[in-house]
Amino acid sequence: MSDIVGSIWWMVVALGVLVTFHEFGHYWVAKRCGVKVLRFSVGFGKPLWSRRDRHGTEFAIAAIPLGGYVKMLDEAEGDVPAADLPQAFNRKPVLQRIAIVAAGPIANLVLCVALLWAMFVIGRQDYSATVGQARGLAAKAGFVAGDRIQAVDGQTINTWGDALQAMTTAAMDRHDPQIVVSDRMGVEHTRSLSLTDLPPGFDQENVAGLAGFAWQHQLAPALVEKTQPGSPASKVLVAGDRITAVDGDPVRSFGDISPLVQKLGARGGAAMIEVERNGERLALDIQPVWWRDPDSGKEYWTLGIAPPAQLQPAAYDAKQQFGPLAAIPAAFRETGKLASGSLGMIRRMLTGQASIKNISGPITIAQVANATAKRGVDWFLYFLALLSLSLAIINLMPIPVLDGGHLLYYLIELVKGSPLSERAMATGQYVGLAMLASLMGLAFYNDIFRLVT
């Protein structure tokens, strides 16, 4: 399946699940409140499939899979037969209308918790926040290769994604986080990372890289792809060897080899290179030679080896998994953490601390859906949970035409004692449509800008 087809397919699957659950929340509460539901549609536009139940509700799947709706009997939509007036939405008490409108976002929150519970029971595999290389601000703060980040400003770090998010948040807030790490010996240290030294307008999508971090799982493994004919390595090493040490110094990635070879060449003489070959550990004598690159003119000591041209993903070294009971509070904690992060990002964008480039549209959603589906069920469940939570938060925003806008109208009615005038509500709808169109336009612009750049 190509990336384009896969992205479209998995986005349709994701939105289909989330929209169905969201609209079912509206539908279920409406039916419990005695409101007649005319149509339950997943998608917009012309129905591709539909059927009608014994209560007269039409269930449909429409052609445009970017949303859905529940159409209820309402006098605002047209004439209602006198016999059906008690089942009209607008005739219901305001608290019941509030419950019906709020049920959609609440359903998405419930789904978020359920999906995270399933993910934790299955177990989500990921990479630990282990430092592979430290330069710049990271090196200045004392970070070294092998450090494993345990906490940032008191927040427990389970994966490198947690570390990235915590660092990005601190950078946006212009704050120097206190980071607890355990070194290769298991000894804990607390280090202060000076993220306030990042320049104004820094790339908020690459905070860790700008701070000088390269993660262990991102480094090229110390595998020999091939050896140059006539080089020292051609007489000692073979393709597939994994180099583990040079002259007693450990090698953890291919990037570790060159500095050790320069050190060895400056010292002079032969040395021992340790490798893993077909499950065996070997110690072999080798001596680098001085080499001048004919293309660049640079001169350096070399063994004459090349890394793999195509790197395979590193093996996962972190896993979050709980039993069915323990996964329940874990799912609630993760939902709270994600909700806090999402609301915090919205606040930062409103105050200018976060870039509006962080707003993503359907193109990015489709790409992420495809990427997480490729990574496995655990990651796709996590993506669905995050998207479900985002759908709940967006729909609760007090923008007319969204659920949050309707809730605002009904809360005003609850305080005022009477509904808003039709003129005020119509004006609100136009304003809401303009705001929503602007937001969608920005999301599409960001998506296209990412593709182009």
Side-chain angles (χ1 to χ4, degrees):
M1 185 183 292
S2 70
D3 282 340
I4 294 176
V5 174
S7 296
I8 294 172
W9 166 252
W10 288 115
M11 183 185 72
V12 170
V13 170
L15 292 181
V17 171
L18 302 186
V19 168
T20 299
F21 214 84
H22 178 94
E23 300 305 335
F24 181 77
H26 292 309
Y27 169 82
W28 189 83
V29 176
K31 295 292 285 184
R32 294 303 174 278
C33 291
V35 175
K36 185 174 182 179
V37 178
L38 303 178
R39 175 179 287 179
F40 182 117
S41 178
V42 177
F44 298 112
K46 184 179 180 180
L48 301 175
W49 171 90
S50 67
R51 75 171 183 85
R52 200 175 297 273
D53 69 7
R54 60 188 179 87
H55 301 292
T57 302
E58 180 188 8
F59 293 87
I61 298 177
I64 305 174
L66 297 178
Y69 61 92
V70 170
K71 184 178 180 181
M72 290 170 267
L73 189 68
D74 194 318
E75 289 178 281
E77 301 290 333
D79 293 334
V80 176
D84 291 340
L85 284 176
Q87 300 181 76
F89 175 78
N90 64 290
R91 291 292 182 106
K92 294 300 177 180
V94 65
L95 289 178
Q96 288 191 6
R97 281 178 276 143
I98 288 174
I100 293 169
V101 172
I106 291 173
N108 282 124
L109 287 174
V110 172
L111 180 61
C112 176
V113 175
L115 290 167
L116 290 173
W117 175 85
M119 180 200 74
F120 281 131
V121 171
I122 294 171
R124 186 182 71 165
Q125 299 190 95
D126 203 350
Y127 298 108
S128 65
T130 303
V131 179
Q133 294 176 350
R135 301 187 179 91
L137 297 177
K140 184 179 178 181
F143 290 93
V144 294
D147 280 352
R148 185 162 181 162
I149 297 176
Q150 304 288 347
V152 176
D153 284 337
Q155 175 188 332
T156 301
I157 300 299
N158 296 307
T159 67
W160 75 295
D162 293 340
L164 290 178
Q165 183 178 5
M167 289 183 193
T168 301
T169 300
M172 289 177 180
D173 293 341
R174 308 305 288 173
H175 162 69
D176 295 336
Q178 300 298 305
I179 301 178
V180 177
V181 303
S182 59
D183 61 21
R184 293 191 184 279
M185 303 303 293
V187 180
E188 287 196 352
H189 308 270
T190 300
R191 294 177 178 140
S192 179
L193 183 62
S194 300
L195 292 178
T196 51
D197 290 342
L198 291 176
F202 62 88
D203 182 1
Q204 295 181 354
E205 296 182 358
N206 187 33
V207 170
L210 294 175
F213 288 99
W215 303 104
Q216 181 65 49
H217 70 271
Q218 295 175 327
L219 302 181
L223 290 173
V224 177
E225 172 79 2
K226 61 181 180 180
T227 61
Q228 295 176 351
S231 68
S234 67
K235 306 170 186 177
V236 178
L237 305 176
V238 297
D241 282 351
R242 179 184 289 272
I243 299 173
T244 59
V246 174
D247 199 23
D249 292 315
V251 171
R252 298 177 180 85
S253 70
F254 201 90
D256 293 340
I257 298 173
S258 181
L260 295 176
V261 171
Q262 306 316 304
K263 176 182 173 183
L264 178 60
R267 192 201 70 187
M272 198 75 71
I273 186 169
E274 299 173 35
V275 302
E276 289 182 0
R277 180 185 299 170
N278 299 324
E280 294 185 62
R281 299 181 68 88
L282 305 175
L284 309 168
D285 289 327
I286 198 167
Q287 184 171 351
V289 295
W290 189 249
W291 168 260
R292 185 178 187 277
D293 191 318
D295 295 325
S296 65
K298 292 182 179 180
E299 296 181 325
Y300 50 86
W301 294 99
T302 183
L303 297 179
I305 59 176
Q310 292 185 337
L311 300 180
Q312 296 297 319
Y316 291 120
D317 61 352
K319 188 174 185 178
Q320 290 179 280
Q321 187 172 26
F322 301 92
L325 292 179
I328 296 173
F332 277 101
R333 286 195 301 270
E334 187 70 12
T335 300
K337 175 183 170 183
L338 292 175
S340 176
S342 297
L343 293 172
M345 181 62 73
I346 292 172
R347 175 182 60 80
R348 291 182 181 91
M349 284 192 285
L350 291 174
T351 58
Q353 293 172 278
S355 171
I356 57 175
K357 293 180 181 179
N358 290 295
I359 298 174
S360 299
I363 297 175
T364 299
I365 291 173
Q367 291 174 326
V368 176
N370 187 46
T372 53
K374 286 182 176 179
R375 291 185 72 174
V377 175
D378 51 343
W379 274 95
F380 192 64
L381 288 173
Y382 181 77
F383 164 74
L384 284 178
L386 183 57
L387 195 58
S388 187
L389 177 64
S390 300
L391 188 60
I393 292 174
I394 290 171
N395 270 281
L396 286 173
M397 294 177 69
I399 299 175
V401 311
L402 296 179
D403 291 334
H406 292 294
L407 289 174
L408 179 61
Y409 288 155
Y410 300 144
L411 290 174
I412 293 173
E413 179 182 342
L414 194 62
V415 174
K416 183 170 171 279
S418 61
L420 287 174
S421 67
E422 291 186 8
R423 182 177 180 180
M425 294 182 70
T427 301
Q429 296 295 319
Y430 286 123
V431 172
L433 285 171
M435 294 174 66
L436 200 57
S438 300
L439 190 62
M440 292 180 65
L442 178 61
F444 271 109
Y445 172 82
N446 287 343
D447 280 354
I448 293 170
F449 183 79
R450 291 189 187 100
L451 287 176
V452 172
T453 57

